[in-house]
Amino acid sequence: MNFPLSHETHHVQTLATGHVVPEPERCIQCGICSFNCPIGIDVRLHAWLGKPVADSYCLTCGECVERCPRGVLHFEKTGLFLEGKE
Amino acid sequence: MTRYVLVGSGIAGFSAAETLRTLDPQADILMVSDDPYGFYSRPGLAYYLTGEIPEKQLQLFSKKGKLNLEVKQIIARVTNLDPIAHSLKTDRSGTLTYDRLLLATGASAVNLNIPGENLRGTVKLDNLEDIRLILSLVRHTRSAVVVGGGVVAVELVEGLVALGVKVHYFLRGEWFWPNVLGEAEARMIERHLAHDEVILHHHTEIAEILGKRDKVIGVRTTKGDVLRCDMVAVGIGVKPNKEVAQAAGLKTERGILANEFLQTSDPDIFAAGDVAQIFDPRSGHSSIDNLWYPGRKQGRIAAMNMAGQKQVYKRTVAVNVLLLAGIMTTIIGAIGSGRDDGPAYTTRGSSETWQQLPNTIATETGTDVSHLRLMVGEQILLGALVMGDQTISRPLRDMINAQVDITPIKPQLLQSDAQLGQSVMDYWIKTKS
């Protein structure tokens, strides 16, 4: 029998294992990422501060990753028990 | 209380203000700039021109935003600097005094110096004012001529194409951006531009901009041909705004000379950003980076030193990521002295360190949509250029920055049919673990 995950559960699981990480050295703060975020997260501010987008509202939709003209953003695995980053 | 004056509201000036405020919450910080729009993403202007973002998106932080620095701002042009009296004169707000001064005056677009340059319809891409002008003119612009061989010129081309303007792109040499790109790399970009119906004119320079009733109506080339157009967009390069420093007796060459602490020849005056020609103790050279991230880092280090710390500016390899005619391009470290016989101007989005290249062999591989060039030194990689697929760009940056010994894979890299990307990736994974 199939027990599909609810959207919310699936989302929480996704966030627990991966998030959007900026590479500040490539960023020119154009703001295309923030402008295209469907829920209005200021992704650019994360890039400025060099912090991953660990916002619990992040849909991990990948819109910011896809739209960034300088390849600043990428998904990275995260997790409490993950040793080494890649 | 120490009084800090920062001249310039670009990335270096802003970054210095941010650092000073963090180091000293009570400090008296004054920013002086003649740009009425303050701090915004200058490289982002290209995306405002193409319509990918609205103008307000260029501002990073609102006044009520998270990084309210409580910095006093004056919109004025600095006309005179007196290092002995520790004072500045401006065109609007009289004399200002400082204890420590940062000169982050940036660089300005170089003019063509030809007849007709002041006609309405001659534009550049230097600041927000320039984009506003282009957008106000574009409704009456059917065709434009763009000149210049670097990042800014191609941004002008793409912006005007996106705005529905027919673009003629004049290139002085055999191919696009010859002092940075090789022929195969440049042709990739030219193919994409031609696909967007840009008409490329190689070996072509403007002798005169033609006008009627003070408006651009065409250009005459150095060969004598006349081409009708409504706009001439110029992106031939930039020159550092060093005049005030020079007149004040500070040591200057191409830019304002600064030591590894970003201190100029006057110990209370610091320099950062596009105007600063910074000494690198490792190479023994002084060079200018016209790049956003180094500008930010320089502002931060200069501020630390202004506040009394002793921080060395460690130059990491210059990296820039560009979207050239839709092709993502990453340039890392030294990639060659190129071939361009004309007057040498630096361009925005470039670094003089890209040209410093002793005893190196270039090796390259590519397809129609991707290209990889490695500059192989005696024992290390000195530079790389990655176009299209960017998988390898981070490993390359790390390897070039860390000066990883590549002796074990050097023969592999120099084979004529080398799998460059794969060899580097495999070696990076091996050396990292």
Side-chain angles (χ1 to χ4, degrees):
Chain A
M1 191 178 274
N2 194 10
F3 292 100
L5 296 170
S6 71
H7 177 75
E8 186 61 21
T9 310
H10 182 264
H11 171 52
V12 168
Q13 283 196 351
T14 309
L15 265 185
T17 53
H19 53 198
V20 174
V21 177
E23 200 181 329
E25 201 171 315
R26 296 170 82 97
C27 183
I28 45 106
Q29 273 85 38
C30 66
I32 286 180
C33 50
S34 305
F35 184 65
N36 286 290
C37 175
I39 55 161
I41 294 172
D42 193 353
V43 182
R44 166 168 59 183
L45 185 61
H46 287 78
W48 177 264
L49 299 171
K51 290 183 176 169
V53 183
D55 193 309
S56 62
Y57 291 101
C58 175
L59 303 169
T60 59
C61 64
E63 193 69 15
C64 57
V65 176
E66 184 65 29
R67 298 265 190 159
C68 173
R70 308 267 174 153
V72 173
L73 304 165
H74 62 275
F75 283 110
E76 203 167 272
K77 282 186 180 175
T78 178
L80 297 175
F81 307 104
L82 196 68
E83 289 203 11
K85 280 189 183 161
E86 294 181 72
Chain B
M1 188 165 43
T2 310
R3 183 176 169 82
Y4 299 102
V5 175
L6 315 171
V7 184
S9 60
I11 181 66
F14 183 84
S15 169
E18 187 188 29
T19 306
L20 284 170
R21 180 54 73 225
T22 309
L23 294 174
D24 184 354
Q26 307 304 322
D28 178 9
I29 307 171
L30 174 67
M31 186 179 270
V32 188
S33 167
D34 59 357
D35 190 330
Y37 304 102
F39 176 54
Y40 53 89
S41 172
R42 292 245 180 148
L45 290 171
Y47 308 117
Y48 173 35
L49 189 62
T50 54
E52 286 166 88
I53 46 169
E55 183 179 309
K56 68 174 186 188
Q57 196 66 28
L58 294 167
Q59 304 286 343
L60 271 74
F61 308 109
S62 65
K63 282 185 180 164
K64 290 180 185 167
K66 292 179 183 172
L67 290 173
N68 186 358
L69 302 173
E70 291 183 23
V71 170
K72 268 187 276 175
Q73 292 196 49
I74 293 178
I75 298 165
R77 193 167 59 85
V78 173
T79 53
N80 184 270
L81 162 63
D82 184 343
I84 294 164
H86 282 57
S87 70
L88 296 166
K89 277 192 187 134
T90 70
D91 61 348
R92 282 185 215 166
S93 49
T95 302
L96 307 165
T97 57
Y98 65 85
D99 295 309
R100 302 264 195 288
L101 175 70
L102 176 71
L103 296 174
T105 45
S108 300
V110 176
N111 293 328
L112 284 169
N113 286 322
I114 56 168
E117 196 156 26
N118 296 322
L119 292 165
R120 188 167 166 78
T122 305
V123 297
K124 57 192 172 65
L125 198 166
D126 222 9
N127 52 43
L128 189 47
E129 199 76 59
D130 296 329
I131 305 295
R132 286 185 163 195
L133 177 64
I134 295 173
L135 294 175
S136 73
L137 293 171
V138 86
R139 272 183 299 159
H140 307 289
T141 303
R142 281 165 54 193
S143 66
V145 166
V146 178
V147 283
V151 183
V152 170
V154 89
E155 286 175 344
L156 282 163
V157 169
E158 291 175 313
L160 290 169
V161 168
L163 290 164
V165 176
K166 180 88 196 158
V167 176
H168 294 266
Y169 186 16
F170 284 14
L171 296 160
R172 190 171 59 197
E174 184 79 28
W175 62 76
F176 167 70
W177 211 7
N179 55 351
V180 170
L181 300 181
E183 182 170 2
E185 295 148 3
R187 297 290 183 222
M188 253 174 86
I189 289 159
E190 291 183 6
R191 274 199 304 276
H192 277 239
L193 291 175
H195 183 75
D196 281 343
E197 298 182 1
V198 174
I199 301 165
L200 293 148
H201 302 252
H202 294 96
H203 300 292
T204 306
E205 293 182 67
I206 298 183
E208 184 184 358
I209 302 173
L210 308 170
K212 193 173 176 184
R213 294 198 198 106
D214 291 332
K215 281 182 68 183
V216 171
I217 58 159
V219 295
R220 189 168 52 78
T221 70
T222 48
K223 292 174 198 156
D225 301 326
V226 170
L227 185 74
R228 293 280 161 193
C229 66
D230 317 295
M231 182 181 278
V232 176
V234 183
I236 56 171
V238 291
K239 61 175 188 334
N241 298 322
K242 60 175 181 179
E243 292 78 8
V244 169
Q246 202 168 16
L250 298 183
K251 283 188 183 161
T252 60
E253 281 178 11
R254 299 183 299 285
I256 303 171
L257 289 175
N259 64 16
E260 62 269 43
F261 302 104
L262 304 185
Q263 210 165 23
T264 67
S265 52
D266 182 295
D268 288 331
I269 304 176
F270 296 75
D274 288 359
V275 77
Q277 188 181 335
I278 302 165
F279 180 71
D280 178 7
R282 280 202 308 185
S283 69
H285 292 291
S286 294
S287 50
I288 301 173
D289 287 320
N290 290 101
L291 296 168
W292 185 257
Y293 191 76
R296 184 179 173 191
K297 192 171 159 190
Q298 289 162 20
R300 189 164 61 231
I301 302 289
M304 288 174 168
N305 289 320
M306 288 166 81
Q309 298 185 12
K310 207 75 182 157
Q311 291 286 338
V312 172
Y313 172 66
K314 288 187 189 126
R315 193 185 284 276
T316 47
V317 291
V319 176
N320 199 11
V321 189
L322 311 158
L323 201 61
L324 297 169
I327 303 167
M328 197 172 287
T329 303
T330 305
I331 301 172
I332 311 160
I335 54 160
S337 58
R339 38 177 291 189
D340 193 359
D341 304 329
Y345 300 117
T346 54
T347 56
R348 281 198 200 286
S350 69
S351 166
E352 288 183 345
T353 60
W354 290 348
Q355 317 294 330
Q356 293 161 3
L357 205 62
N359 305 326
T360 308
I361 306 169
T363 173
E364 55 191 313
T365 181
T367 63
D368 277 356
V369 289
S370 286
H371 191 91
L372 170 64
R373 169 155 57 103
L374 300 178
M375 306 309 281
V376 184
E378 283 289 311
Q379 287 175 312
I380 56 171
L381 290 176
L382 292 162
L385 189 141
V386 186
M387 295 174 81
D389 184 351
Q390 294 294 306
T391 315
I392 199 73
S393 69
R394 265 205 308 159
L396 278 171
R397 187 203 60 188
D398 290 350
M399 284 175 70
I400 295 167
N401 228 346
Q403 302 193 335
V404 170
D405 183 357
I406 54 141
T407 314
I409 57 164
K410 192 172 169 183
Q412 228 170 301
L413 297 181
L414 298 180
Q415 276 171 18
S416 58
D417 57 346
Q419 297 285 316
L420 294 181
Q422 198 57 52
S423 303
V424 169
M425 185 60 101
D426 292 346
Y427 191 61
W428 180 67
I429 291 168
K430 200 172 140 194
T431 50
K432 211 166 69 104
S433 55

